Amino acid sequence: MTELPDLEELVNASHVVSLPMRVQFRGVRHREALLFQGPAGWGEFSPFLEYGSSEASSWLRAAIEAAWDGYPHPVRDEVPVNATLPAVGQDQVESVLAAYDATHTVKVKVAEKGQDLAQDVARVAEVRRLLPDAAIRIDANAGWNHQEAMAALEALAGFGLQYAEQPVDSIEGLARVREEVARRGLGVLIAADESVRKESDPLAVARAGAADLIIIKAQPLGGVRRALQIVADAGLPAVVSSALDTSIGLRQGAALAAALPELPYACGLATGSLFTSDITTDRFVAVNGALQLRQIVADPELLRDHAVSSERKAWWLARLVECYRELLGTEQ
């Protein structure tokens, strides 16, 4: 990343929006994001609300990279994407999937707080019934302990899972699950997400042999170039996923996927379909199951329509300042 832009310039360029969602996701029905435009285009700063400034500062680094440095040269001009199914009831599965274009791959959220394994099985079974030829992957967001994870994988393996994402919360736990899955012959690959993006050493999961593949996200890892280096150093297949971004953030994810030397799996970058509206008139959504690389520009009228209250904007700007100071400390 080039030298940090002036803080006042960032603050003055900032727009804070709240986008309504079709269904609840990560416990929210509206997604807030701070957006700004720089010399290379638009950047998005949207760390989840519970993240502290140390963790959230990587998201700001990524936003500045997008707006000031732009993206590396792509090696492909389209990126295959999966549909993402939140932890909805079995009766809602069909209507949620109907919002996606070409559901050749579906990521199903499981291990939702307040739900049980029977609900997870019913959700996955309904996806398989509706889409008998689709690749199905599950994402537990570290919601299980070891016993729960093994019981769930035993119950779900028969649906032909492509992989299970972050079934437990630690690198040691992932390694243990992966070893047990192999011992039982379940044939389910283990993917690491939080164990890559939330660890102080994102390569620790690869060194521990704890995963068959890694999930990478441009914002949490500090931008496209940093994420590319992590993939190169890890030596594992990578799936690019979103952090529930607006079209601006999804374009950054697509830039990361487009620059990877190899892209063996569909990417989790179709989450724009979970929103009822966006900040651009030309939303970054899939066509025939893939995102086509193109420029995304925020629309001034939509920025106004989805603007947050003055109190929420002040909260986000204070967060921006805190994270900027974190970055200044790391640059010195």
Side-chain angles (χ1 to χ4, degrees):
M1 187 177 71
T2 57
E3 184 177 343
L4 289 175
D6 183 73
L7 176 58
E8 184 178 3
E9 184 179 1
L10 276 181
V11 170
N12 291 338
S14 293
H15 304 266
V16 184
V17 298
S18 177
L19 299 181
M21 303 186 64
R22 298 182 189 279
V23 293
Q24 182 170 292
F25 195 89
R26 285 186 59 97
V28 300
R29 292 300 296 258
H30 285 77
R31 177 71 163 118
E32 292 183 344
L34 185 151
L35 310 169
F36 47 69
Q37 186 177 20
W42 283 84
E44 174 173 340
F45 172 61
S46 55
F48 296 115
L49 302 183
E50 67 270 21
Y51 290 1
S53 59
S54 178
E55 186 172 358
S57 63
S58 292
W59 300 58
L60 180 57
R61 181 187 297 276
I64 292 172
E65 177 197 57
W68 264 260
D69 296 341
Y71 303 127
H73 184 74
V75 298
R76 58 187 63 84
D77 57 12
E78 70 173 27
V79 175
V81 293
N82 65 257
T84 298
L85 181 68
V88 297
Q90 181 180 358
D91 59 338
Q92 293 179 274
V93 170
E94 187 169 10
S95 63
V96 173
L97 292 180
Y100 291 94
D101 178 280
T103 46
H104 51 73
T105 306
V106 181
K107 179 164 81 169
V108 183
K109 291 290 185 176
V110 293
E112 182 83 352
K113 192 172 183 179
Q115 295 187 8
D116 58 26
L117 178 56
Q119 290 167 291
D120 290 338
V121 172
R123 188 178 310 113
V124 174
E126 182 66 1
V127 175
R128 178 56 75 211
R129 185 186 72 81
L130 293 167
L131 301 168
D133 298 322
I136 298 178
R137 52 186 70 162
I138 60 169
D139 182 7
N141 287 118
W144 291 319
N145 60 32
H146 180 79
Q147 291 74 20
E148 291 167 336
M150 293 314 305
L153 293 175
E154 283 272 12
L156 295 169
F159 294 104
L161 300 184
Q162 188 179 57
Y163 60 76
E165 183 175 330
Q166 199 71 44
V168 294
D169 67 353
S170 69
I171 292 175
E172 295 78 9
L174 280 181
R176 186 180 172 204
V177 167
R178 184 170 179 248
E179 181 180 353
E180 183 70 7
V181 163
R183 189 185 69 80
R184 297 190 191 185
L186 297 181
V188 179
L189 299 179
I190 301 300
D193 178 8
E194 286 87 346
S195 290
V196 176
R197 63 184 170 88
K198 295 177 77 72
E199 291 286 331
S200 57
D201 178 5
L203 300 179
V205 69
R207 294 195 189 100
D212 298 287
L213 62 148
I214 57 175
I215 311 298
I216 56 171
K217 299 177 181 179
Q219 282 203 75
L221 293 177
V224 172
R225 291 167 180 83
R226 287 195 169 201
L228 288 172
Q229 189 59 54
I230 288 169
V231 174
D233 292 343
L236 291 173
V239 177
V240 180
S241 190
S242 83
L244 203 56
D245 314 84
T246 75
S247 283
I248 299 296
L250 289 174
R251 177 61 180 87
Q252 184 176 39
L256 171 54
L260 284 170
E262 304 291 337
L263 195 66
Y265 298 98
C267 293
L269 296 171
T271 49
S273 296
L274 295 174
F275 296 105
T276 60
S277 185
D278 209 324
I279 44 70
T280 175
T281 55
D282 190 13
R283 298 174 65 176
F284 199 42
V285 294
V287 177
N288 295 325
L291 292 172
Q292 313 296 322
L293 292 190
R294 55 184 172 84
Q295 185 178 23
I296 303 295
V297 177
D299 178 74
E301 186 173 339
L302 288 172
L303 289 175
R304 288 192 297 270
D305 289 347
H306 294 297
V308 298
S309 67
S310 57
E311 291 81 9
R312 290 306 297 163
K313 183 172 183 179
W315 185 90
W316 274 97
L317 290 178
R319 195 181 198 195
L320 171 68
V321 171
E322 288 180 3
C323 291
Y324 184 89
R325 289 172 178 161
E326 287 274 350
L327 290 182
L328 275 181
T330 62
E331 295 292 316
Q332 293 173 353

Coordinates of all heavy atoms in Angstrom, one line a residue, residues 64-136:
I64 N -8.4 1.5 1.8 CA -7.5 2.5 1.3 C -6.8 1.9 0.1 O -6.6 2.6 -0.9 CB -6.5 2.9 2.4 CG1 -7.3 3.7 3.5 CG2 -5.4 3.8 1.8 CD1 -6.4 4.0 4.7
E65 N -6.4 0.6 0.1 CA -5.7 0.0 -1.0 C -6.6 0.1 -2.3 O -6.2 0.5 -3.4 CB -5.4 -1.4 -0.8 CG -4.8 -2.2 -2.0 CD -4.9 -3.7 -1.9 OE1 -6.0 -4.2 -1.7 OE2 -3.8 -4.3 -2.0
A66 N -7.9 -0.2 -2.1 CA -8.8 -0.2 -3.2 C -9.0 1.2 -3.8 O -9.0 1.3 -5.0 CB -10.2 -0.8 -2.8
A67 N -9.1 2.2 -2.9 CA -9.4 3.5 -3.4 C -8.2 4.3 -3.8 O -8.3 5.2 -4.7 CB -10.1 4.3 -2.3
W68 N -7.0 3.9 -3.3 CA -5.8 4.7 -3.7 C -4.8 3.9 -4.6 O -4.2 4.5 -5.4 CB -5.1 5.2 -2.4 CG -5.4 6.5 -2.0 CD1 -4.7 7.7 -2.2 CD2 -6.7 7.0 -1.3 NE1 -5.4 8.8 -1.8 CE2 -6.6 8.4 -1.2 CE3 -7.8 6.3 -0.9 CZ2 -7.6 9.1 -0.6 CZ3 -8.8 7.0 -0.3 CH2 -8.7 8.4 -0.1
D69 N -4.8 2.6 -4.4 CA -3.8 1.8 -5.2 C -4.5 1.1 -6.4 O -3.8 0.7 -7.3 CB -3.1 0.8 -4.3 CG -2.2 1.5 -3.3 OD1 -1.9 2.7 -3.4 OD2 -1.9 0.9 -2.3
G70 N -5.8 0.8 -6.2 CA -6.4 -0.1 -7.3 C -6.0 -1.5 -7.1 O -5.5 -1.9 -6.0
Y71 N -6.2 -2.3 -8.1 CA -6.1 -3.8 -7.9 C -5.0 -4.3 -8.8 O -4.6 -3.7 -9.9 CB -7.4 -4.5 -8.3 CG -8.6 -4.0 -7.5 CD1 -9.7 -3.6 -8.1 CD2 -8.5 -4.0 -6.1 CE1 -10.8 -3.1 -7.3 CE2 -9.6 -3.6 -5.3 CZ -10.7 -3.2 -5.9 OH -11.8 -2.8 -5.2
P72 N -4.4 -5.5 -8.5 CA -3.4 -6.1 -9.3 C -4.0 -6.6 -10.7 O -5.2 -6.7 -10.8 CB -2.9 -7.3 -8.5 CG -3.4 -7.1 -7.1 CD -4.6 -6.2 -7.2
H73 N -3.2 -6.9 -11.6 CA -3.7 -7.3 -12.9 C -4.4 -8.6 -12.8 O -3.8 -9.6 -12.2 CB -2.5 -7.4 -13.9 CG -2.9 -7.8 -15.3 ND1 -3.6 -6.9 -16.1 CD2 -2.9 -8.9 -16.0 CE1 -3.8 -7.5 -17.3 NE2 -3.4 -8.7 -17.2
P74 N -5.6 -8.8 -13.3 CA -6.3 -10.1 -13.2 C -5.7 -11.1 -14.2 O -5.2 -10.8 -15.3 CB -7.7 -9.7 -13.6 CG -7.6 -8.5 -14.5 CD -6.4 -7.8 -14.0
V75 N -5.9 -12.4 -13.8 CA -5.5 -13.5 -14.8 C -6.8 -14.1 -15.3 O -6.7 -15.0 -16.2 CB -4.7 -14.5 -14.1 CG1 -3.4 -13.9 -13.6 CG2 -5.4 -15.2 -12.9
R76 N -8.0 -13.7 -14.9 CA -9.3 -14.1 -15.4 C -10.2 -12.9 -15.4 O -10.1 -12.1 -14.5 CB -9.8 -15.3 -14.7 CG -10.0 -15.1 -13.2 CD -10.3 -16.4 -12.5 NE -9.3 -17.4 -12.5 CZ -8.2 -17.4 -11.7 NH1 -8.1 -16.5 -10.8 NH2 -7.3 -18.3 -11.8
D77 N -11.2 -12.9 -16.3 CA -12.1 -11.8 -16.3 C -13.5 -12.1 -15.7 O -14.4 -11.3 -15.7 CB -12.3 -11.2 -17.7 CG -12.7 -12.3 -18.7 OD1 -13.2 -13.3 -18.3 OD2 -12.7 -12.0 -19.9
E78 N -13.7 -13.3 -15.2 CA -14.9 -13.7 -14.5 C -14.6 -14.7 -13.4 O -13.6 -15.4 -13.4 CB -16.0 -14.3 -15.4 CG -15.7 -15.6 -16.0 CD -16.9 -16.2 -16.7 OE1 -17.7 -15.4 -17.3 OE2 -17.0 -17.4 -16.8
V79 N -15.5 -14.6 -12.3 CA -15.2 -15.4 -11.1 C -16.5 -16.2 -10.8 O -17.5 -15.6 -10.6 CB -14.9 -14.5 -9.9 CG1 -14.8 -15.3 -8.7 CG2 -13.6 -13.7 -10.2
P80 N -16.4 -17.5 -10.8 CA -17.6 -18.3 -10.5 C -17.9 -18.1 -9.0 O -17.0 -18.0 -8.1 CB -17.2 -19.8 -10.7 CG -15.7 -19.7 -10.7 CD -15.3 -18.4 -11.1
V81 N -19.2 -18.1 -8.6 CA -19.6 -17.8 -7.3 C -20.7 -18.8 -6.8 O -21.4 -19.4 -7.6 CB -20.1 -16.4 -7.1 CG1 -19.0 -15.4 -7.3 CG2 -21.3 -16.1 -8.1
N82 N -20.7 -19.0 -5.5 CA -21.7 -19.8 -4.9 C -22.9 -19.0 -4.3 O -22.7 -17.8 -4.0 CB -21.1 -20.7 -3.7 CG -20.6 -19.9 -2.5 OD1 -19.4 -19.7 -2.4 ND2 -21.5 -19.4 -1.7
A83 N -24.0 -19.6 -4.2 CA -25.1 -19.0 -3.4 C -24.8 -19.2 -1.9 O -24.2 -20.2 -1.6 CB -26.4 -19.7 -3.8
T84 N -25.3 -18.3 -1.1 CA -25.1 -18.4 0.3 C -26.5 -18.5 1.0 O -27.3 -17.6 0.8 CB -24.3 -17.2 0.9 OG1 -23.0 -17.2 0.4 CG2 -24.2 -17.3 2.4
L85 N -26.7 -19.6 1.7 CA -28.0 -19.8 2.4 C -27.8 -19.6 3.9 O -27.2 -20.4 4.5 CB -28.5 -21.2 2.1 CG -29.9 -21.6 2.7 CD1 -31.0 -20.8 2.0 CD2 -30.1 -23.1 2.6
P86 N -28.4 -18.5 4.4 CA -28.4 -18.3 5.9 C -29.1 -19.4 6.6 O -29.7 -20.3 6.0 CB -29.1 -16.9 6.0 CG -29.1 -16.3 4.7 CD -29.1 -17.4 3.7
A87 N -29.1 -19.4 7.9 CA -29.7 -20.4 8.7 C -31.2 -20.2 8.8 O -31.7 -20.1 9.9 CB -29.0 -20.4 10.1
V88 N -31.8 -20.3 7.7 CA -33.3 -20.1 7.6 C -34.0 -21.5 7.8 O -33.3 -22.5 7.7 CB -33.7 -19.5 6.2 CG1 -33.1 -18.1 6.1 CG2 -33.3 -20.4 5.1
G89 N -35.3 -21.4 8.0 CA -36.0 -22.6 8.1 C -36.1 -23.4 6.8 O -36.0 -22.8 5.7
Q90 N -36.4 -24.6 6.9 CA -36.5 -25.5 5.7 C -37.5 -24.9 4.7 O -37.3 -24.9 3.5 CB -36.9 -26.9 6.1 CG -37.0 -27.9 4.9 CD -37.4 -29.2 5.4 OE1 -37.6 -29.5 6.6 NE2 -37.6 -30.2 4.5
D91 N -38.6 -24.3 5.2 CA -39.6 -23.7 4.3 C -39.2 -22.5 3.6 O -39.9 -22.0 2.7 CB -40.9 -23.5 5.1 CG -40.7 -22.5 6.3 OD1 -39.5 -22.3 6.7 OD2 -41.7 -21.8 6.7
Q92 N -38.1 -21.9 4.0 CA -37.6 -20.6 3.4 C -36.5 -20.9 2.4 O -36.1 -20.0 1.6 CB -37.1 -19.6 4.4 CG -38.2 -19.1 5.3 CD -37.5 -18.1 6.3 OE1 -37.0 -18.5 7.4 NE2 -37.5 -16.9 6.0
V93 N -36.0 -22.1 2.3 CA -34.8 -22.4 1.5 C -35.1 -22.1 0.0 O -34.2 -21.4 -0.6 CB -34.4 -23.9 1.7 CG1 -33.3 -24.3 0.6 CG2 -33.9 -24.1 3.1
E94 N -36.1 -22.5 -0.5 CA -36.4 -22.3 -1.9 C -36.5 -20.8 -2.3 O -35.9 -20.4 -3.3 CB -37.7 -23.0 -2.3 CG -37.9 -23.0 -3.8 CD -39.0 -23.9 -4.3 OE1 -39.8 -24.5 -3.4 OE2 -39.2 -24.2 -5.5
S95 N -37.2 -20.0 -1.5 CA -37.3 -18.6 -1.8 C -36.0 -17.9 -1.7 O -35.7 -17.0 -2.5 CB -38.4 -18.0 -0.9 OG -38.0 -18.0 0.5
V96 N -35.1 -18.2 -0.7 CA -33.8 -17.6 -0.6 C -33.0 -17.9 -1.8 O -32.3 -17.1 -2.5 CB -33.1 -18.0 0.7 CG1 -31.7 -17.4 0.7 CG2 -33.9 -17.4 1.9
L97 N -32.9 -19.2 -2.2 CA -32.1 -19.6 -3.3 C -32.6 -19.0 -4.7 O -31.8 -18.8 -5.6 CB -32.1 -21.1 -3.4 CG -31.3 -21.8 -2.3 CD1 -31.4 -23.4 -2.5 CD2 -29.9 -21.4 -2.2
A98 N -33.9 -18.7 -4.7 CA -34.5 -18.1 -6.0 C -33.9 -16.8 -6.3 O -33.9 -16.3 -7.4 CB -36.0 -18.0 -5.8
A99 N -33.3 -16.1 -5.3 CA -32.7 -14.8 -5.5 C -31.3 -14.9 -6.2 O -30.8 -13.9 -6.7 CB -32.5 -14.0 -4.2
Y100 N -30.8 -16.1 -6.3 CA -29.4 -16.3 -6.9 C -29.6 -16.7 -8.4 O -30.5 -17.4 -8.7 CB -28.6 -17.3 -6.1 CG -28.2 -16.8 -4.8 CD1 -29.0 -17.1 -3.6 CD2 -27.1 -16.1 -4.6 CE1 -28.6 -16.7 -2.4 CE2 -26.7 -15.7 -3.3 CZ -27.5 -16.0 -2.2 OH -27.1 -15.6 -0.9
D101 N -28.6 -16.3 -9.1 CA -28.5 -16.7 -10.5 C -27.6 -18.0 -10.6 O -26.4 -17.9 -10.2 CB -27.9 -15.6 -11.4 CG -27.7 -15.9 -12.8 OD1 -26.7 -16.6 -13.2 OD2 -28.6 -15.5 -13.6
A102 N -28.1 -19.0 -11.2 CA -27.3 -20.3 -11.5 C -26.7 -20.8 -10.2 O -25.5 -20.6 -10.0 CB -26.3 -20.0 -12.5
T103 N -27.5 -21.5 -9.4 CA -27.0 -22.1 -8.2 C -26.3 -23.4 -8.4 O -26.8 -24.5 -8.0 CB -28.2 -22.2 -7.2 OG1 -29.3 -22.9 -7.9 CG2 -28.6 -20.9 -6.6
H104 N -25.1 -23.3 -9.0 CA -24.3 -24.6 -9.2 C -23.6 -25.0 -7.9 O -23.1 -26.1 -7.8 CB -23.3 -24.4 -10.3 CG -22.5 -23.1 -10.2 ND1 -21.5 -23.0 -9.3 CD2 -22.5 -21.9 -10.9 CE1 -20.9 -21.8 -9.4 NE2 -21.5 -21.1 -10.3
T105 N -23.4 -24.0 -7.0 CA -22.7 -24.3 -5.7 C -23.5 -23.5 -4.6 O -23.8 -22.3 -4.8 CB -21.3 -23.8 -5.8 OG1 -20.6 -24.4 -6.9 CG2 -20.5 -24.2 -4.5
V106 N -23.7 -24.1 -3.5 CA -24.4 -23.5 -2.4 C -23.7 -23.7 -1.1 O -23.3 -24.8 -0.7 CB -25.9 -24.1 -2.2 CG1 -26.6 -23.3 -1.1 CG2 -26.7 -24.0 -3.5
K107 N -23.4 -22.6 -0.4 CA -22.9 -22.6 1.0 C -24.0 -22.5 1.9 O -24.8 -21.5 1.9 CB -21.8 -21.5 1.2 CG -21.3 -21.6 2.6 CD -20.0 -20.8 2.8 CE -20.2 -19.3 3.0 NZ -19.0 -18.6 3.4
V108 N -24.1 -23.4 2.8 CA -25.2 -23.5 3.8 C -24.7 -23.2 5.2 O -23.8 -23.8 5.7 CB -25.9 -24.9 3.8 CG1 -27.1 -24.9 4.7 CG2 -26.3 -25.3 2.4
K109 N -25.3 -22.2 5.8 CA -24.9 -21.8 7.2 C -25.5 -22.8 8.1 O -26.7 -23.2 8.1 CB -25.4 -20.4 7.5 CG -24.7 -19.3 6.8 CD -23.2 -19.2 7.2 CE -22.5 -18.0 6.6 NZ -21.2 -17.8 7.1
V110 N -24.7 -23.3 9.1 CA -25.1 -24.3 10.1 C -24.6 -23.8 11.4 O -23.9 -22.9 11.5 CB -24.6 -25.7 9.7 CG1 -25.3 -26.2 8.4 CG2 -23.1 -25.7 9.6
A111 N -25.0 -24.6 12.5 CA -24.5 -24.3 13.8 C -24.9 -22.9 14.3 O -24.2 -22.3 15.1 CB -23.0 -24.5 13.9
E112 N -26.1 -22.5 13.9 CA -26.6 -21.2 14.3 C -27.0 -21.3 15.8 O -27.6 -22.2 16.2 CB -27.8 -20.8 13.5 CG -28.4 -19.5 13.8 CD -27.8 -18.3 13.1 OE1 -26.7 -18.6 12.4 OE2 -28.3 -17.2 13.1
K113 N -26.6 -20.2 16.5 CA -27.0 -20.2 17.9 C -28.5 -20.3 18.1 O -29.3 -19.6 17.4 CB -26.5 -18.9 18.5 CG -26.5 -18.9 20.1 CD -25.8 -17.6 20.6 CE -25.8 -17.6 22.1 NZ -25.1 -16.4 22.6
G114 N -29.0 -21.1 19.0 CA -30.4 -21.3 19.2 C -31.0 -22.4 18.3 O -32.2 -22.7 18.5
Q115 N -30.3 -23.0 17.4 CA -30.8 -24.0 16.6 C -30.1 -25.3 16.9 O -29.1 -25.4 17.7 CB -30.6 -23.7 15.1 CG -31.4 -22.5 14.6 CD -31.3 -22.3 13.1 OE1 -30.8 -23.1 12.4 NE2 -31.8 -21.1 12.6
D116 N -30.6 -26.4 16.3 CA -30.0 -27.7 16.6 C -29.7 -28.4 15.3 O -29.9 -28.0 14.2 CB -31.0 -28.6 17.5 CG -32.3 -28.8 16.8 OD1 -32.4 -28.8 15.6 OD2 -33.3 -29.1 17.5
L117 N -29.0 -29.6 15.5 CA -28.5 -30.4 14.3 C -29.7 -30.8 13.4 O -29.5 -30.8 12.2 CB -27.7 -31.6 14.8 CG -27.2 -32.5 13.7 CD1 -26.3 -31.8 12.7 CD2 -26.4 -33.7 14.4
A118 N -30.8 -31.1 14.0 CA -31.9 -31.5 13.1 C -32.3 -30.4 12.1 O -32.7 -30.7 11.0 CB -33.1 -31.9 14.0
Q119 N -32.3 -29.2 12.6 CA -32.6 -28.0 11.7 C -31.5 -27.9 10.6 O -31.8 -27.6 9.4 CB -32.7 -26.8 12.5 CG -33.9 -26.7 13.4 CD -33.9 -25.6 14.4 OE1 -33.1 -25.6 15.3 NE2 -34.7 -24.6 14.2
D120 N -30.2 -28.1 11.0 CA -29.2 -28.1 10.0 C -29.3 -29.2 8.9 O -29.2 -28.9 7.7 CB -27.8 -28.3 10.7 CG -27.4 -27.1 11.5 OD1 -27.9 -26.0 11.3 OD2 -26.5 -27.3 12.4
V121 N -29.7 -30.4 9.4 CA -29.8 -31.5 8.4 C -31.0 -31.2 7.5 O -30.9 -31.4 6.3 CB -30.1 -32.8 9.2 CG1 -30.5 -33.9 8.3 CG2 -28.8 -33.2 10.0
A122 N -32.1 -30.7 8.1 CA -33.3 -30.4 7.2 C -33.0 -29.3 6.2 O -33.4 -29.4 5.0 CB -34.4 -29.9 8.1
R123 N -32.2 -28.3 6.6 CA -31.8 -27.3 5.6 C -30.9 -27.8 4.5 O -31.2 -27.5 3.3 CB -31.1 -26.2 6.4 CG -30.8 -24.9 5.6 CD -30.1 -23.8 6.4 NE -30.8 -23.7 7.7 CZ -30.3 -24.0 8.9 NH1 -29.1 -24.5 9.0 NH2 -31.0 -23.8 10.0
V124 N -29.9 -28.6 4.8 CA -29.0 -29.2 3.8 C -29.8 -30.2 2.9 O -29.7 -30.2 1.7 CB -27.8 -29.9 4.5 CG1 -27.0 -30.6 3.4 CG2 -27.0 -28.8 5.2
A125 N -30.7 -30.9 3.6 CA -31.5 -31.9 2.8 C -32.4 -31.2 1.8 O -32.6 -31.7 0.7 CB -32.3 -32.8 3.7
E126 N -32.9 -30.1 2.2 CA -33.8 -29.3 1.3 C -33.0 -28.8 0.1 O -33.5 -28.8 -1.1 CB -34.5 -28.2 2.0 CG -35.5 -27.4 1.2 CD -36.7 -28.2 0.7 OE1 -36.8 -29.4 1.0 OE2 -37.5 -27.6 0.0
V127 N -31.8 -28.3 0.3 CA -31.0 -27.8 -0.8 C -30.7 -29.0 -1.7 O -30.8 -28.8 -2.9 CB -29.6 -27.2 -0.2 CG1 -28.7 -26.9 -1.4 CG2 -29.9 -26.0 0.6
R128 N -30.3 -30.1 -1.2 CA -30.0 -31.3 -2.0 C -31.2 -31.7 -2.8 O -31.1 -32.1 -4.0 CB -29.5 -32.4 -1.2 CG -29.1 -33.7 -2.0 CD -28.2 -33.4 -3.1 NE -26.8 -33.2 -2.6 CZ -25.9 -32.5 -3.3 NH1 -26.3 -31.8 -4.4 NH2 -24.7 -32.3 -2.8
R129 N -32.4 -31.6 -2.2 CA -33.7 -32.0 -2.9 C -33.9 -31.1 -4.1 O -34.3 -31.5 -5.2 CB -34.9 -32.0 -2.0 CG -36.2 -32.5 -2.6 CD -37.3 -32.3 -1.7 NE -37.7 -30.9 -1.5 CZ -38.5 -30.2 -2.4 NH1 -38.9 -30.8 -3.5 NH2 -38.8 -29.0 -2.2
L130 N -33.7 -29.8 -3.8 CA -34.0 -28.8 -4.9 C -33.0 -28.7 -5.9 O -33.3 -28.5 -7.1 CB -34.1 -27.4 -4.2 CG -35.3 -27.1 -3.3 CD1 -35.1 -25.9 -2.5 CD2 -36.6 -27.1 -4.1
L131 N -31.7 -29.0 -5.5 CA -30.6 -28.9 -6.5 C -29.7 -30.2 -6.4 O -28.7 -30.2 -5.8 CB -29.7 -27.7 -6.1 CG -30.4 -26.3 -6.1 CD1 -29.6 -25.3 -5.5 CD2 -30.8 -25.9 -7.5
P132 N -30.2 -31.3 -7.0 CA -29.5 -32.6 -6.9 C -28.1 -32.6 -7.4 O -27.3 -33.4 -7.0 CB -30.5 -33.5 -7.6 CG -31.3 -32.6 -8.5 CD -31.4 -31.4 -7.8
D133 N -27.8 -31.7 -8.3 CA -26.5 -31.7 -8.9 C -25.5 -30.7 -8.4 O -24.4 -30.6 -8.8 CB -26.6 -31.6 -10.5 CG -27.4 -32.7 -11.1 OD1 -27.2 -33.9 -10.6 OD2 -28.1 -32.5 -12.0
A134 N -26.0 -29.8 -7.5 CA -25.2 -28.7 -7.0 C -24.1 -29.2 -6.0 O -24.2 -30.2 -5.3 CB -26.1 -27.7 -6.3
A135 N -23.0 -28.5 -6.0 CA -22.0 -28.7 -5.0 C -22.5 -28.0 -3.7 O -22.9 -26.8 -3.7 CB -20.6 -28.1 -5.4
I136 N -22.5 -28.7 -2.6 CA -22.9 -28.1 -1.3 C -21.8 -28.1 -0.3 O -21.0 -29.1 -0.1 CB -24.1 -29.0 -0.7 CG1 -25.3 -29.0 -1.6 CG2 -24.5 -28.4 0.7 CD1 -26.4 -29.8 -1.1

